[in-house]
């Protein structure tokens, strides 16, 4: 007896989903993927892994939404009476970048990184060429939380870090 048509359609759909890993969504498991992308680079240079922090992620999401809604692209101001946090910001065309590729753009700054005290870590002489990377690999940083927003014309990723990196006079890997 032939299989019912609905059964054939379900089997076909299930088979296609296993063959196409991207079919489940560009941002599925966003937190895990962002954390893994950070920790992959940290492991590559011998720095301990970061842990995901929901409080940092909440603040990062709020700032990402703000930037997306306003069309601005700037770091958040320090909040009086609150602990300092490090922050990386990424912006790009909505729905065109994977979470890993967003982090990889910060990792690409590694090509200009040199060991030493911050802010003298860039082979170009411009700390802005490495400051996303140094925050990502800062050895004393132990927690990260990120938020992704595309409420406006540009998709915005904000990642917050605790302890903050990029501290004047300190070595990123010490």
């Amino acid at each position: 007896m032939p299989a019912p048509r609905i059964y054939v359609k379900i089997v076909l759909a299930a088979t296609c989903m296993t063959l196409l890993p991207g079919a489940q969504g560009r941002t599925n498991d966003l937190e895990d993927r962002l954390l893994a992308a950070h920790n992959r680079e940290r492991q590559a240079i011998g720095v301990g892994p970061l842990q995901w922090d929901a409080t940092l992620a909440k603040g990062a999401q709020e700032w990402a939404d703000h930037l997306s809604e306003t069309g601005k692209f700037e770091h958040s101001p320090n909040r009086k009476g609150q602990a300092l946090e490090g922050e990386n910001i990424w912006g790009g065309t909505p729905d065109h970048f994977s979470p890993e590729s967003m982090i990889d753009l910060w990792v690409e700054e590694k090509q200009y990184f040199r060991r030493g005290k911050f802010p003298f870590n860039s082979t170009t002489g411009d700390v802005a060429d490495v400051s996303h990377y140094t925050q990502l690999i800062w050895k004393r940083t132990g927690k990260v939380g990120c938020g992704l927003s595309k409420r406006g014309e540009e998709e915005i990723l904000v990642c917050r870090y605790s302890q903050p990196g990029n501290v004047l006079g300190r070595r990123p890997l010490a």
Side-chain angles (χ1 to χ4, degrees):
M1 175 173 182
R5 292 176 79 92
I6 189 72
Y7 175 77
V8 173
K9 288 180 183 177
I10 291 171
V11 169
L12 180 60
T15 302
C16 288
M17 292 300 280
T18 61
L19 295 175
L20 301 171
Q24 294 184 3
R26 179 182 67 90
T27 58
N28 278 14
D29 303 317
L30 181 65
E31 293 174 9
D32 292 338
R33 293 170 65 190
L34 290 169
L35 181 62
H38 277 83
N39 285 335
R40 190 170 24 260
E41 180 60 23
R42 290 174 67 89
Q43 181 180 20
I45 63 163
V47 177
L50 296 173
Q51 300 297 314
W52 189 263
D53 184 277
T55 302
L56 291 172
K58 182 178 184 290
Q61 185 63 57
E62 290 169 359
W63 191 248
D65 289 342
H66 169 77
L67 294 178
S68 189
E69 290 168 352
T70 63
K72 294 181 180 180
F73 195 78
E74 61 192 7
H75 285 284
S76 62
N78 292 332
R79 297 166 302 209
K80 190 174 182 175
Q82 300 224 352
L84 294 176
E85 299 170 349
E87 184 176 76
N88 278 345
I89 303 173
W90 173 94
T93 306
D95 302 319
H96 280 76
F97 295 87
S98 69
E100 294 82 3
S101 66
M102 295 172 194
I103 301 302
D104 286 346
L105 288 172
W106 297 333
V107 172
E108 284 180 17
E109 294 177 2
K110 181 179 185 174
Q111 65 185 312
Y112 303 116
F113 174 73
R114 69 174 172 207
R115 292 175 185 260
K117 290 182 180 179
F118 187 83
F120 307 107
N121 298 102
S122 176
T123 60
T124 68
D126 185 353
V127 70
D129 291 337
V130 296
S131 59
H132 297 100
Y133 181 71
T134 52
Q135 175 55 80
L136 191 148
I137 63 158
W138 202 268
K139 187 174 183 176
R140 293 183 182 194
T141 298
K143 298 177 184 177
V144 65
C146 304
L148 182 65
S149 183
K150 58 178 182 174
R151 294 182 177 181
E153 298 291 317
E154 190 171 37
E155 190 164 40
I156 304 290
L157 173 70
V158 174
C159 290
R160 298 259 176 97
Y161 305 86
S162 181
Q163 293 182 2
N166 296 346
V167 178
L168 294 175
R170 295 232 174 119
R171 296 178 185 274
L173 300 175

